[in-house]
Amino acid sequence: MKSAVSSFLGSRTLLSFNHSRLYSIFFAKPIPHPRRPSFLCTYSSRISAPIMAASFKPEQARKPPALPLPTPPLTKFKIGLCQLSVTADKERNIAHARTAIQDAAEKGAKLVVLPEIWNSPYSNDSFPVYAEDIDAGGDASPSTAMLSEISRLLNITIIGGSIPERSGDRLYNTCCVFGSDGIIKAKHRKIHLFDIDIPGKITFMESKTLTAGESPTIVDTDVGRIGIGICYDIRFPELAMIYAARGAHLLCYPGAFNMTTGPLHWELLQRARATDNQLYVATCSPARADKGSYVAWGHSTLVGPFGEVLATTEHTEDIIVAEIDYTQMDLRRENLPLSKQRRGDLYQLVDFQRLNSE
């Protein structure tokens, strides 16, 4: 792998970004130098249109090549977003989440999504206190034990929001996905930690207590192929691009944007991820608690593959159930065939994890 990347860089690339094991973006065309002759900056105007079209190489814009969209088990189904109030009482939070999941299922939801950090106050002081050993299960993780039981009893898929996870001497912000059989199908540890400092507005450093996850998470479920991110992960388009290239139908982001960035960016980012990748995006936030140390913006939302807001809450506790229709993805990709128009001759997204596993 290293030799392949080195060869690529040596032969074709002047700039590269994000040389991590998760993903990388390469720009394959030379960037004009201000001291070089001006004709180098205008060479493309001398190339005929047919030759340019042949040189676009859209199939090379993703490495490995993008997977075709898989046929989902269901074409249409209902998703439930449970925007929950969170208290300092962990037992209450767990029981309350269980009731909300039941309510969503009674309204027809086959997929239910919970908020980020729904069993604990959102604070660095709380994370170590409320953290659970998910791998040990049982009494060591009462939150996931409840989700396992209720998903099996109701025969639904659950994106279990996120909870603080303890693994050895480390803490993670972790989302578990439960199949309709009650078994954990995937576990996503938040990749991008929320470290922010806007003077006079908000300062929060997740990295003081939490460890960043190491892997993108995509999972096949009874309701399609789903890519998972947690809150701050939504700000990084490369992650969503990887999920789209792996054939995701839906991206789910449990999140808790704040009162500073929420009004400006929350819906904007959701619509951008959906529009760029022509798939569905669902988010679920805690309800706003004005007296808490961290105040969430709320506004849990479902966005369609054309960037349209299909359903959303306000800031108070709420449960919304809306329909997802995957045929809309095919329609939008036919209307606007982005995958056939990418410039593999100019740039490339490299999914290192998938490349090394094939």
Side-chain angles (χ1 to χ4, degrees), residues 26-261:
F26 298 107
F27 289 86
K29 285 289 186 183
I31 294 177
H33 192 283
R35 296 188 183 90
R36 290 174 182 165
S38 60
F39 71 85
L40 290 178
C41 301
T42 59
Y43 69 93
S44 62
S45 65
R46 300 190 180 95
I47 301 176
S48 65
I51 295 176
M52 283 189 66
S55 68
F56 285 174
K57 302 178 181 178
E59 71 284 352
Q60 294 186 19
R62 301 290 181 264
K63 184 177 180 180
L67 297 173
L69 195 66
T71 302
L74 295 175
T75 300
K76 293 183 182 181
F77 66 93
K78 290 183 179 180
I79 182 174
L81 308 178
C82 299
Q83 184 164 291
L84 305 176
S85 60
V86 179
T87 71
D89 185 338
K90 185 175 182 179
E91 290 187 1
R92 179 265 178 199
N93 295 335
I94 294 173
H96 189 52
R98 182 187 180 103
T99 299
I101 293 169
Q102 290 174 320
D103 289 348
E106 288 175 0
K107 296 176 182 178
K110 298 300 293 180
L111 172 66
V112 176
V113 187
L114 295 184
E116 180 184 25
I117 307 293
W118 57 267
N119 71 344
S120 160
Y122 190 91
S123 72
N124 280 316
D125 291 338
S126 297
F127 296 152
V129 177
Y130 289 76
E132 300 181 5
D133 187 340
I134 294 173
D135 292 339
D139 294 339
S141 185
S143 299
T144 59
M146 180 275 289
L147 295 176
S148 174
E149 179 185 31
I150 198 68
S151 61
R152 177 178 56 81
L153 290 175
L154 298 177
N155 192 35
I156 60 173
T157 300
I158 295 177
I159 309 296
S162 77
I163 64 172
E165 178 197 9
R166 185 180 301 280
S167 180
D169 59 354
R170 294 183 175 183
L171 297 176
Y172 298 92
N173 187 342
T174 301
C175 173
C176 292
V177 180
F178 293 84
S180 55
D181 55 4
I183 296 174
I184 294 180
K185 298 181 70 69
K187 184 171 72 172
H188 178 78
R189 289 168 170 168
K190 190 174 188 177
I191 294 174
H192 305 92
L193 296 183
F194 178 57
D195 285 1
I196 185 173
D197 184 14
I198 303 177
K201 296 290 186 178
I202 182 172
T203 298
F204 199 99
M205 299 290 168
E206 272 190 333
S207 61
K208 286 185 176 180
T209 55
L210 300 179
T211 299
E214 295 287 337
S215 177
T217 305
I218 192 163
V219 55
D220 286 312
T221 73
D222 291 345
V223 291
R225 184 169 293 176
I226 302 175
I228 305 296
I230 299 175
C231 199
Y232 206 55
D233 285 339
I234 200 173
R235 287 192 177 274
F236 299 86
E238 300 91 341
L239 182 61
M241 291 161 65
I242 282 178
Y243 289 152
R246 293 184 185 184
H249 300 98
L250 167 68
L251 306 183
C252 286
Y253 296 94
F257 267 48
N258 56 78
M259 296 298 293
T260 299
T261 61

Side-chain angles (χ1 to χ4, degrees), residues 8 12 24-28 55-66 241-242 245 338-351 354:
F8 184 88
R12 301 185 64 194
S24 183
I25 296 179
F26 298 107
F27 289 86
S55 68
F56 285 174
K57 302 178 181 178
E59 71 284 352
Q60 294 186 19
R62 301 290 181 264
K63 184 177 180 180
M241 291 161 65
I242 282 178
L338 299 181
S339 65
K340 299 177 182 178
Q341 299 168 336
R342 292 193 172 95
R343 294 292 300 271
D345 58 325
L346 297 179
Y347 49 76
Q348 183 180 70
L349 176 75
V350 180
D351 184 343
R354 186 174 150 223

